[in-house]
């Protein structure tokens, strides 16, 4: 993806995160969509889902990221997924892996333009299960094993990096590789239920600094735009350098509600609903979308790292400070406030916090 796209005014999003269902069989402590699902007005029916896919195709949206809830709990999800693929749209499904069966995996292996991201929050059962629920580690890996045995081509294991699983990052990377999967590390944000465990799960300054160096040394690890606020010189050509909310992406809730991104699915950021208005019109004209596009974090403009992160993630800033105009409280300059501060060595990792 060219770097300058994130600063251009686009007529439509490049990718859309679609929380396709409010159903879930797990109760993860840091679930970012928990509040969205609790406040959902139900799910769009299949006809409306297909109509939205038609519009996304007409807008030339490149990718749909399907999430939830757990997408595979929706009975007609595979039909919706297949329909999106008939339109030539790249699809990514974020799943907790517990619903995967040999029959379902056989169907998925035969699909094109499909990426699967399986969530796992630790390299060890005790760590993951403390976050995602007792017994989930084994259940998730059973699903991953099915995909691995069938040589599913575009598989990643995703871990939301918290103080609980931080010291297992290297082990997690090796675990993903043992299944032929790529490693994806996602940023823990204080959205949804994440806001309720923020103080216990957030990374320390030392951990943030270590992670920046680790990502720089491991360019094959996927992050999306999760850690652009930690980008160092070694990763400056990868991913976005600024928040893509309302610029390159937006999020759609189960009931068709539209928000600037998946981490700003709060009532204060509701931009509209696709049942009442086209997504294209909402993306282009909704006041909150314009607010995000015009957002300038003034305190960051004189920072030596401004060109790398442009103020960081506004979602973290908003949920921590109640303001969109303040810097990301977890940016690398906050982690290393001294000019020229050196990153710590990467072995061993700093100690993790105890699970509360």
């Amino acid at each position: 993806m060219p770097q300058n796209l994130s600063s251009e005014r686009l007529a439509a999003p490049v990718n859309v995160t679609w929380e396709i269902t409010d159903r879930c069989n797990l109760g993860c402590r840091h679930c970012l969509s928990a509040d969205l699902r609790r406040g959902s007005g139900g799910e769009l029916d299949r006809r409306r889902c297909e109509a939205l896919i038609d519009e996304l195709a007409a807008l030339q949206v490149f990718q749909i990221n399907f999430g939830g809830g757990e997408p595979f709990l929706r009975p007609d999800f595979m039909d919706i997924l297949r329909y999106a693929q008939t339109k030539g749209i790249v699809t990514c499904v974020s799943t907790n892996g517990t619903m995967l069966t040999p029959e379902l995996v056989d169907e998925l292996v035969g699909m094109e333009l499909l990426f699967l991201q399986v969530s796992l929050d630790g390299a060890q059962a005790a760590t993951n299960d403390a976050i995602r629920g007792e017994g989930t580690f084994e259940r998730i890996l059973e699903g991953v094993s099915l995909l691995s045995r069938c040589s599913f081509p575009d598989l990643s294991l995703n871990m939301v990096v918290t103080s609980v699983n931080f010291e297992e990052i290297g082990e997690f990377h090796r675990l993903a590789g043992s299944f032929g999967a790529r490693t994806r590390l996602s940023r823990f944000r204080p959205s949804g239920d994440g806001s309720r465990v923020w103080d216990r799960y957030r990374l320390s300054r030392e951990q943030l600094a270590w992670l920046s160096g680790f990502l720089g040394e491991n360019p094959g690890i996927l992050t999306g735009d999760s850690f652009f606020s930690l980008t160092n010189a070694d990763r400056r050509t990868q991913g976005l350098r600024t928040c893509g909310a309302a610029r390159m992406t937006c999020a759609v809730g189960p009931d068709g509600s539209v928000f600037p991104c998946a981490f700003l699915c709060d009532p204060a950021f509701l931009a509209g609903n696709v049942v009442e208005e086209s997504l294209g019109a909402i993306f282009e004209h909704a006041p909150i979308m314009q607010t995000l596009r015009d957002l300038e974090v003034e305190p960051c403009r004189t920072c030596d790292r401004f060109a790398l992160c442009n103020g960081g993630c506004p979602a973290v800033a908003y949920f921590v400070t109640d303001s969109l105009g303040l810097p990301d409280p977890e940016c690398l300059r906050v982690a290393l406030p001294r000019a020229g501060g050196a990153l710590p060595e990467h072995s061993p990792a700093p100690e993790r916090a105890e699970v509360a």
Side-chain angles (χ1 to χ4, degrees):
M1 186 72 65
Q3 291 291 318
N4 61 358
L5 276 181
S6 59
S7 60
E8 293 182 0
R9 174 67 179 270
L10 301 179
V14 174
N15 66 72
V16 172
T17 296
W18 188 351
E19 312 294 7
I20 194 73
T21 182
D22 54 15
R23 314 171 210 200
C24 194
N25 58 336
L26 301 185
C28 303
R29 291 192 178 191
H30 57 21
C31 179
L32 74 93
S33 65
D35 290 345
L36 176 65
R37 292 188 289 112
R38 291 182 190 119
S40 173
E43 298 172 354
L44 297 177
D45 62 26
R46 181 176 167 184
R47 180 183 63 82
R48 287 194 181 277
C49 288
E50 292 181 351
L52 178 55
I53 291 170
D54 289 340
E55 183 188 0
L56 297 181
L59 290 170
Q60 298 184 330
V61 169
F62 176 73
Q63 179 170 313
I64 302 173
N65 301 320
F66 286 107
E70 168 51 47
F72 292 117
L73 281 174
R74 179 167 172 150
D76 60 357
F77 176 63
M78 288 298 290
D79 296 318
I80 294 169
L81 183 61
R82 278 189 287 266
Y83 189 77
Q85 295 201 328
T86 66
K87 300 296 180 177
I89 302 176
V90 174
T91 53
C92 176
V93 180
S94 295
T95 173
N96 61 39
T98 64
M99 300 301 297
L100 296 173
T101 64
E103 295 75 20
L104 177 56
V105 168
D106 283 343
E107 285 191 74
L108 295 171
V109 169
M111 295 179 125
E112 298 180 353
L113 305 175
L114 175 64
F115 294 80
L116 284 181
Q117 176 180 301
V118 180
S119 297
L120 186 71
D121 278 310
Q124 300 176 21
T127 306
N128 171 84
D129 292 4
I131 298 172
R132 305 188 72 83
E134 186 176 355
T136 56
F137 185 81
E138 294 301 328
R139 292 168 60 197
I140 292 166
L141 289 188
E142 286 174 6
V144 174
S145 295
L146 290 173
L147 293 165
S148 179
R149 287 199 292 269
C150 291
S151 299
F152 186 85
D154 295 299
L155 172 65
S156 62
L157 293 193
N158 178 71
M159 183 170 78
V160 177
V161 182
T162 66
S163 60
V164 175
N165 57 32
F166 181 83
E167 70 173 18
E168 295 178 14
I169 290 175
E171 187 180 353
F172 183 86
H173 186 35
R174 292 187 292 273
L175 177 66
S178 72
F179 287 102
R182 297 189 70 180
T183 299
R184 185 179 184 90
L185 299 180
S186 291
R187 185 177 179 185
F188 169 54
R189 290 173 168 96
S191 304
D193 279 346
S195 64
R196 296 163 185 95
V197 295
W198 173 249
D199 289 336
R200 282 187 288 141
Y201 281 17
R202 66 180 299 183
L203 300 184
S204 68
R205 288 184 175 185
E206 181 185 18
Q207 289 169 334
L208 289 168
W210 184 92
L211 181 57
S212 175
F214 178 82
L215 292 173
E217 293 175 358
N218 293 274
I221 291 179
L222 304 171
T223 63
D225 67 351
S226 293
F227 289 109
F228 62 87
S229 60
L230 298 181
T231 299
N232 62 27
D234 296 324
R235 280 181 79 95
R236 70 170 67 241
T237 60
Q238 293 183 259
L240 296 176
R241 294 185 185 178
T242 189
C243 171
R247 297 182 178 93
M248 297 182 67
T249 188
C250 66
V252 179
D255 62 358
S257 298
V258 179
F259 301 89
C261 83
F263 300 101
L264 288 172
C265 291
D266 184 85
F269 296 94
L270 179 63
N273 191 295
V274 297
V275 175
E276 302 164 355
E277 191 177 6
S278 71
L279 184 129
I282 294 169
F283 183 82
E284 186 170 4
H285 300 299
I288 190 60
M289 295 293 192
Q290 192 59 47
T291 296
L292 266 294
R293 281 192 284 265
D294 293 342
L295 184 65
E296 293 186 0
V297 185
E298 290 299 335
C300 295
R301 287 197 164 273
T302 58
C303 176
D304 61 328
R305 286 181 41 78
F306 183 73
L308 285 175
C309 77
N310 287 272
C313 176
V316 178
Y318 175 78
F319 288 115
V320 172
T321 69
D322 292 323
S323 173
L324 283 174
L326 293 178
D328 185 330
E330 291 191 329
C331 75
L332 190 59
R333 185 51 64 224
V334 172
L336 293 173
R338 297 177 302 280
L343 294 172
E345 296 298 324
H346 298 152
S347 180
E351 292 295 322
R352 64 178 172 181
E354 293 298 320
V355 180

